[in-house]
Amino acid sequence: MSSLLCCDSRAAGLPVPSGNNGSCLVLRSSSKPGFHLLMDSFEDTLRQLREAFNSGRTRPAEFRAAQLQGLGRFLRDNKQQLQEALAQDLHKSTFESEVSEIAISQAEVDLALRNLRSWMKDEKVSKNLATQLDSAFIRKEPFGVVLIIVPWNYPLNLTLVPLVGAIAAGNCVVLKPSETSKATEKILAEVLPRYLDQSCFAVVLGGPQETGQLLEHRFDYIFFTGNAYVGKIVMAAAAKHLTPITLELGGKNPCYVDDDCDPQTVANRVAWFRYFNAGQTCVAPDYILCSQEMQERLVPALQNAITRFYGDNPQTSPSLGRIINQKHFKRLQGLLGCGRVVIGGQSDESDLYIAPTVLVDVQETEPVMQEEIFGPILPLVTVRSLDDAIDFMNRREKPLALYAFSKRSQVIKRVLARTSSGGFCGNDGFMHLTLSSLPFGGVGSSGMGRYHGKFSFDTFSNQRACLLRSPRMEKINDLRYPPYSSRNLRVLLVAMEERSCSCTLL
């Protein structure tokens, strides 16, 4: 059966939306026969959101800023509760929760609040001679009611960062958090709506069946983060309504290590990023490509880094996370049989623990090299040369991120020039994600669309082309009207060439 979780909007100092008595729209369902009640309830919810959007409620900058301020208060007021939920879901340390979830989300809120009005401004464009007396600009308008589907590995970050963009752009939002990260889902469902205007925001809970039912409805934009298999399902559902979509997917992110590198420096940086969040990061280095000689130097350096980071028994380290659930644990346990384990390899199903692991003698055809690992396992694959490494990377699907380590800038530039990926970082792991000035997203099978910072605002905005012309001086238009002549065509073609001039009539 379907139930409604309610909360009072007055607690957040927000105006009470008309028509819903101040209760938030959080729909929870089971997969029992009464599931159709969720769809009935959601249709009403979706109708209310569309009415709110069509009323123009979300368009003023003041409204958008108020919602963003609410997100900031949510993060500040519930910081400890959020940290506890992340620890419960993924055994995340306070350090990792702060760095990768809370601080990044807060930074996105602050950036949007500082720049909201400038982002919203009409963007003037160049004109041709025929339109010199007119006003030409791009207006950033919201799409309408957007759906954001969230994964479990960074359940706060991957909820709030796109949500900031959707709200800043002036949309109404339906949020679908992951049912797998249950503790964080509970906070997003029961607490987050108290900080937002519930006439414009809804949280829908449930599993794959509910998500499938949700996707049968028409949205004005869909933002999905997850794996490629589900991404194809979401894209097919969006295609039925010709709904634009962003897909933030994963992939096998390669990491090339040149022979001239200091192995301990590489090991420190790679180990931290590979085992951060127990390896459950879509941009983590998924395998290393290096020469046999570098592998022999890198393995002991990786062992040294792992011991310094997590101690002689990593299972007792408070800094190492756990696998999200038994299903993913079993999958990862199966990958430990690939190649040869030279570091780690231990596992404890009762604790959902898999040790930081390094594999060598891995074959390209083995499962660990065919699927995204999404766990604390790092295969090392030997190559004969830089060209061999580049060919290896280019034979595979385009990754979400690509990494290269070398003391020689020409090597880094060569890898960058001859490969393709969603993001690239030289001589480090996924630090490019910390820059809101850089777009984040995939290419090919690793996704489509970009967000973070202003890119989030742009993603959730329709770039509306606008030209305002004067109703006067009709004589000028005689050149384009029949009967046509060669002379008028020549003059008109010249007039249609783009010119840079700031003069306008309107």
Side-chain angles (χ1 to χ4, degrees), residues 364-408:
E364 188 175 353
T365 55
E366 291 187 275
V368 76
M369 291 302 296
Q370 294 300 309
E371 62 182 70
E372 183 178 8
I373 296 171
F374 226 65
I377 302 170
L378 180 63
L380 272 60
V381 178
T382 58
V383 290
R384 294 183 299 274
S385 64
L386 174 58
D387 287 339
D388 191 19
I390 290 172
D391 289 342
F392 187 97
M393 290 184 271
N394 287 339
R395 286 199 305 269
R396 310 174 74 87
E397 297 286 357
K398 295 179 180 180
L400 184 59
L402 192 149
Y403 307 99
F405 286 79
S406 178
K407 291 182 179 179
R408 296 175 291 173

Side-chain angles (χ1 to χ4, degrees), residues 275 288 295 299 302 335-345 357-362 366 368-369 373 377-381:
Y275 304 123
I288 286 179
Q295 177 178 290
V299 168
L302 285 166
L335 297 181
L336 293 173
C338 298
R340 177 168 58 91
V341 175
V342 290
I343 299 174
T357 298
V358 175
L359 305 176
V360 298
D361 300 336
V362 175
E366 291 187 275
V368 76
M369 291 302 296
I373 296 171
I377 302 170
L378 180 63
L380 272 60
V381 178

Side-chain angles (χ1 to χ4, degrees), residues 105-116:
S105 299
Q106 185 65 62
E108 288 284 325
V109 171
D110 295 342
L111 180 69
L113 282 169
R114 287 197 306 270
N115 295 281
L116 181 61

Side-chain angles (χ1 to χ4, degrees), residues 154 253-257 265-276 281-288 378 400-406 412 421 423-435 438 440:
Y154 290 89
N253 306 311
C255 177
Y256 173 71
V257 180
T265 298
V266 174
N268 295 341
R269 299 181 184 188
V270 170
W272 188 59
F273 285 108
R274 173 68 271 188
Y275 304 123
F276 193 97
T281 305
C282 61
V283 289
D286 211 68
Y287 61 95
I288 286 179
L378 180 63
L400 184 59
L402 192 149
Y403 307 99
F405 286 79
S406 178
I412 302 293
S421 61
F424 180 90
C425 188
N427 290 312
D428 210 350
F430 43 77
M431 286 301 292
H432 59 288
L433 266 68
T434 65
L435 292 177
L438 288 176
F440 175 72

